Amino acid sequence: MKQTVYTASPESQQIHVWRLNSEGTLTLVQVVDVPGQVQPMVISPDKRYLYVGVRPEFRVIAYRIAPDDGALTMTAEASLPGSPTHISTDHSGRFLFSGSYNAGCVSVTSLEDGIPTTTLDVVEGLEGCHSANISPDNRTLWVPALKQDRICLFTLSDDGNLQPQEPAEVNTVEGAGPRHIAFHPNKRFAYCVNELNSSVDVWQLSNAHGNIECVQTLDMMPADFAGTRWAADIHITPDGRHLYACDRTASLITIFSVSEDGSILAVEGHQPTETQPRGFNIDHSGKFLIAAGQKSHHIALYEISGAQGLLTEKGRYAVGQGPMWVVVNAW
């Protein structure tokens, strides 16, 4: 299996392309100068394109991925209705979703043979919209509205329109600030990291009555932490055994073990990492985690090991200025 790591650095307007070697090292393949402040990124389901959201001219740029070394070639772009805070796609590669924190909206862009084209739908009134996350069955879009302490739920139609479900939302505790979401591989549970109180909620996608239910909330910070809580990102290993979330104030990654059925989390430890870790990701083998330090201008590569999923640093690499997004491609 070949793997390529992409890191986005908006302050220097660059994407760094790295080859992830099987022994746990990174080799620089390419540095791409992006026409704008590059922030969120996502890889197309067929692994042919890297989509990146840029500002101040709000748009998504599609880069074709070279099949031999993962290098990027700019191919197309399309406008977005607001500053892209998070982008993702549906599982079929027909639609691209963009959540905009500043504009308080989520949008759907058509993908035609992988190329972003026209905006199909825009839903407004989502204060602090921080991500757009398609459910494992490709039918429900989960959209956290951080400032409203709610996760809005939309049914994705075949033509790319979003219709509120019934119920149309689920709510966190007041002041939590739901931000990013990861789904368990068994497709039965979702995990949401809450920015403002640095907690993680476990959502059962369908309980005995067919309803979405929060079955656990867990504090992700050390018991003696007294600073301002400022959580950011969350990811789960491909086997569903380990979950990770990061906090920027404390510059740490919290390590969770996940019960066999996905319903229960337990904190296993805290890993100090790069200063202000805005984003991180896990490779497709589940062996490595790559974290970006927004204030250190470096990324750190960790090996995931043992029953607890603890992290051991394997290397540290300079990237562009203010790195804040990491994605990994495999083929």
Side-chain angles (χ1 to χ4, degrees):
M1 177 173 62
K2 295 181 179 180
Q3 294 198 87
T4 303
V5 176
Y6 301 94
T7 59
S9 301
E11 293 176 23
S12 55
Q13 301 184 18
Q14 293 175 316
I15 299 171
H16 283 65
V17 182
W18 306 85
R19 182 174 70 250
L20 175 58
N21 305 302
S22 58
E23 68 273 17
T25 59
L26 294 173
T27 302
L28 185 62
V29 173
Q30 182 188 27
V31 179
V32 179
D33 292 324
V34 179
Q37 297 174 12
V38 56
Q39 295 194 355
M41 304 188 295
V42 69
I43 294 167
S44 63
D46 63 10
K47 304 178 181 180
R48 293 190 302 151
Y49 293 97
L50 175 72
Y51 304 117
V52 305
V54 298
R55 62 181 191 181
E57 295 180 4
F58 308 147
R59 62 200 192 280
V60 57
I61 301 176
Y63 288 89
R64 183 178 292 277
I65 299 174
D68 52 346
D69 61 0
L72 302 176
T73 302
M74 185 175 173
T75 303
E77 63 179 66
S79 62
L80 294 172
S83 176
T85 304
H86 181 279
I87 59 172
S88 60
T89 73
D90 77 312
H91 300 308
S92 67
R94 296 181 58 211
F95 308 113
L96 180 138
F97 311 112
S98 176
S100 177
Y101 181 92
N102 291 331
C105 70
V106 63
S107 62
V108 184
T109 299
S110 176
L111 295 173
E112 298 181 8
D113 192 25
I115 300 299
T117 56
T118 57
T119 299
L120 300 174
D121 200 4
V122 181
V123 178
E124 300 178 321
L126 307 172
E127 295 182 23
C129 177
H130 223 298
S131 64
N133 312 268
I134 195 67
S135 62
D137 64 6
N138 210 43
R139 295 185 58 190
T140 301
L141 191 68
W142 291 52
V143 183
L146 185 149
K147 293 182 179 180
Q148 297 169 326
D149 293 320
R150 63 178 181 146
I151 302 173
C152 300
L153 306 170
F154 300 96
T155 298
L156 176 66
S157 70
D158 290 339
D159 58 2
N161 287 316
L162 299 176
Q163 296 297 326
Q165 289 193 353
E166 180 58 45
E169 62 187 52
V170 293
N171 297 102
T172 66
V173 300
E174 184 177 353
R179 181 180 169 100
H180 287 181
I181 292 174
F183 293 99
H184 193 282
N186 69 14
K187 305 178 182 180
R188 295 170 52 199
F189 294 91
Y191 311 97
C192 180
V193 64
N194 299 306
E195 175 179 324
L196 303 182
N197 70 0
S198 292
S199 67
V200 174
D201 290 331
V202 180
W203 293 95
Q204 186 173 3
L205 302 190
S206 180
N207 63 16
H209 305 287
N211 300 319
I212 295 171
E213 179 184 9
C214 183
V215 296
Q216 185 187 23
T217 298
L218 205 56
D219 187 356
M220 59 180 276
M221 302 304 290
D224 60 352
F225 180 76
T228 300
R229 292 166 179 251
W230 199 27
D233 207 1
I234 188 167
H235 293 280
I236 192 168
T237 54
D239 61 9
R241 294 177 56 202
H242 309 295
L243 182 79
Y244 302 86
C246 61
D247 183 273
R248 288 167 285 182
T249 300
S251 295
L252 59 76
I253 297 170
T254 303
I255 303 159
F256 301 91
S257 59
V258 185
S259 64
E260 187 173 352
D261 69 352
S263 65
I264 301 173
L265 302 178
V267 174
E268 297 290 351
H270 299 91
Q271 175 66 45
T273 189
E274 297 294 321
T275 305
Q276 197 166 302
R278 165 60 177 77
F280 71 95
N281 220 314
I282 297 168
D283 85 311
H284 291 258
S285 73
K287 295 180 180 178
F288 303 107
L289 183 150
I290 305 98
Q294 195 172 6
K295 295 298 184 183
S296 72
H297 316 301
H298 281 71
I299 57 173
L301 176 66
Y302 300 92
E303 183 175 12
I304 300 171
S305 59
Q308 295 175 297
L310 301 181
L311 302 177
T312 302
E313 186 170 322
K314 299 282 290 184
R316 184 172 185 259
Y317 304 84
V319 288
Q321 297 296 295
M324 60 182 296
W325 213 272
V326 181
V327 295
V328 186
N329 196 19
W331 65 96

